[in-house]
């Protein structure tokens, strides 16, 4: 790589916050950028509980994506933490992406997020702000133009870009713009690191994702997963033990299922995802416990990594 000192050859790096209501496709977008399954994608809202960073590195730049949890009206400590970490992620970043869903159009929930974004934009001079209109694969072209106009009217950003995070349409263009607008900066993380979350946390999220995927409507917000053992055995499979916490006894029997079948299905699906993520063989042991008030138990939330230490 030549280095003649011109601006184009300086290393660029920075934080990009991605804000949007639950289910707009924030995690899918970051995953497309990283081509790696980092944030947990689910059809149910609020599966990404914390600002999981995805880190994109190459020779010229490092982009740290802050994939914020959905912003909603908080009623529990976990809810309050989700909102405050989303807002904080937005305020600390160099660039801001606001994601909306073309299929739903702009909703009241979007407007709440817009007002948080506007406040953040007043507090901070972002190097680039963009509204990403996602899921354009779901809408007919004639509906897109009025939607883009509505977006322009709602928040004033530098760019408004229709994309499909699922098919990848226009996503490379977004990535190119993100790179262009980054400031000069250092390598914040080792170039081979993809996330700041430790493997335990991601493994727990992968288990939780399968619980949500396989147990449909019964338990969306009532599940927490703690990895209690993570043992690498040279030459053998990694042993992972995880406990699934639920709020009610009735949920416990749903998750275990008839003759333990549901838990077995959750276990094998989760094991496949974990093996894919870790790139090695895994023995996964799952346990199920009831903890009635886990969402209100700050200490418990901290232990599971949902609340930052600071
Ligand atoms: P988040 O809550 O904002 O992080 O949303 P996710 O990335 O978890 O996506 C929520 C759901 O929307 C998932 O089922 C995704 O597959 C789906 N999704 C995301 N992007 C697109 C898209 O561009 N088109 C379509 N049709 N679905 C999408
Ligand atoms: Mg997400």
């Amino acid at each position: 790589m030549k280095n003649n000192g011109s601006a184009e050859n300086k290393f660029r790096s920075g934080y990009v916050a991605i804000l949007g209501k639950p289910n707009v496709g924030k995690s899918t977008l970051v995953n497309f950028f990283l081509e790696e399954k980092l944030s947990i994608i689910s059809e149910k809202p609020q599966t990404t509980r914390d600002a999981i960073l995805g880190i994109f590195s190459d020779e010229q730049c490092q982009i740290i994506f802050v994939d914020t949890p959905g912003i909603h009206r908080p009623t529990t400590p976990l809810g309050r933490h989700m909102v405050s970490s989303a807002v904080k992620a937005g305020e600390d970043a160099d660039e801001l992406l606001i994601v909306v869903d073309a299929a739903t159009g702009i909703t009241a929930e979007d407007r709440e997020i817009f007002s948080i974004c506007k406040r953040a934009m007043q507090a901070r001079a972002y190097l680039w702000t963009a509204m990403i209109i996602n899921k354009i694969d779901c809408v007919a072209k004639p509906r897109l133009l009025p939607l883009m106009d509505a977006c322009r009217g709602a928040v004033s950003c530098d760019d408004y870009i229709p994309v499909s995070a699922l098919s990848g349409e226009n996503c490379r263009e977004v990535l190119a713009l993100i790179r262009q607008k980054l400031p000069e900066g250092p390598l914040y993380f080792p170039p081979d690191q993809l996330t700041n979350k430790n493997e335990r946390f991601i493994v727990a999220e992968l288990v939780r994702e399968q619980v949500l995927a396989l147990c449909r409507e019964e338990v969306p917000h009532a599940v927490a997963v703690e990895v209690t053992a993570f043992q690498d055995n040279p030459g053998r499979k990694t042993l992972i033990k995880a406990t699934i916490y639920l709020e009610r006894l009735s949920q416990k029997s749903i998750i275990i299922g008839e003759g333990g079948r549901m838990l077995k299905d959750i276990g094998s699906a989760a094991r496949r995802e974990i093996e894919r993520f870790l790139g090695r063989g895994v023995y996964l042991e799952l346990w199920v416990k009831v903890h009635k008030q886990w969402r209100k138990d700050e200490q418990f939330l901290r232990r599971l990594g949902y609340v930052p230490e600071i």
Side-chain angles (χ1 to χ4, degrees):
M1 198 173 36
K2 63 178 193 292
N3 187 356
N4 58 14
S6 74
E8 295 102 274
N9 286 329
K10 296 262 169 64
F11 193 81
R12 294 172 177 273
S13 62
Y15 284 74
V16 177
I18 305 192
L19 276 99
K21 70 184 172 205
N23 248 9
V24 286
K26 299 177 295 296
S27 303
T28 312
L29 192 65
V30 172
N31 289 342
F32 180 88
F33 293 147
L34 301 185
E35 299 169 62
E36 199 28 66
K37 188 167 186 171
L38 280 188
S39 309
I40 310 303
I41 301 169
S42 155
E43 287 174 16
K44 299 204 175 68
Q46 284 163 25
T47 47
T48 312
R49 284 205 177 126
D50 212 335
I52 293 182
L53 300 185
I55 305 169
F56 173 99
S57 307
D58 66 13
E59 268 113 67
Q60 290 96 36
C61 78
Q62 182 165 72
I63 310 168
I64 300 138
F65 292 102
V66 190
D67 171 20
T68 60
I71 298 168
H72 66 150
R73 285 194 194 87
T75 52
T76 61
L78 176 59
R80 276 197 292 281
H81 164 64
M82 286 166 65
V83 173
S84 70
S85 69
V87 172
K88 197 169 168 327
E91 285 174 354
D92 286 346
D94 299 292
E95 300 176 11
L96 178 66
L97 304 187
I98 308 168
V99 187
V100 296
D101 182 337
T104 64
I106 296 173
T107 65
E109 215 177 351
D110 287 309
R111 294 197 188 280
E112 275 182 45
I113 288 160
F114 294 167
S115 64
I116 290 173
C117 293
K118 283 181 198 163
R119 258 182 282 146
M121 285 168 171
Q122 277 166 2
R124 183 168 179 94
Y126 291 103
L127 296 171
W128 188 52
T129 56
M131 194 173 290
I132 306 297
I133 299 121
N134 188 31
K135 306 197 189 182
I136 54 167
D137 54 293
C138 293
V139 297
K141 287 264 151 23
R143 272 188 53 205
L144 201 55
L145 285 179
L147 180 60
M148 303 265 298
D149 283 340
C151 291
R152 283 194 189 92
V155 191
S156 121
C157 294
D158 298 323
D159 284 294
Y160 300 81
I161 310 171
V163 309
S164 169
L166 206 60
S167 74
E169 193 179 347
N170 268 351
C171 291
R172 282 198 183 82
E173 288 74 2
V174 174
L175 187 62
L177 285 164
I178 292 171
R179 299 173 66 123
Q180 249 177 46
K181 315 284 178 176
L182 282 180
E184 273 174 38
L187 203 58
Y188 290 103
F189 296 93
D192 57 352
Q193 190 172 336
L194 287 167
T195 176
N196 72 329
K197 291 285 177 188
N198 61 30
E199 290 183 338
R200 269 178 185 246
F201 183 86
I202 290 171
V203 163
E205 289 286 285
L206 290 172
V207 173
R208 202 158 62 85
E209 180 185 43
Q210 292 308 322
V211 174
L212 298 187
L214 296 175
C215 299
R216 303 271 159 225
E217 55 294 325
E218 292 88 350
V219 286
H221 297 286
V223 189
V225 176
E226 180 179 32
V227 171
T228 54
F230 197 121
Q231 251 172 272
D232 275 318
N233 306 308
R236 287 192 293 163
K237 291 186 177 181
T238 301
L239 172 68
I240 297 175
K241 294 184 188 176
T243 305
I244 300 169
Y245 286 96
L246 299 158
E247 287 181 321
R248 287 195 298 273
L249 212 55
S250 59
Q251 296 163 339
K252 183 172 169 176
S253 51
I254 290 168
I255 288 214
I256 291 175
E258 248 185 82
R261 196 165 307 144
M262 178 62 92
L263 190 61
K264 213 171 146 221
D265 288 350
I266 292 169
S268 27
R271 182 181 44 76
R272 278 195 297 276
E273 291 296 327
I274 294 166
E275 287 182 335
R276 206 164 80 83
F277 168 68
L278 295 176
R280 56 186 187 263
V282 164
Y283 279 119
L284 179 64
E285 257 179 46
L286 293 181
W287 303 86
V288 185
K289 283 187 186 163
V290 175
H291 178 351
K292 287 202 175 79
Q293 300 276 318
W294 73 261
R295 272 184 286 184
K296 296 191 182 117
D297 183 344
E298 290 257 13
Q299 232 179 338
F300 178 80
L301 294 173
R302 192 164 289 120
R303 201 174 82 210
L304 268 57
Y306 292 143
V307 183
E309 298 299 329
I310 26 131

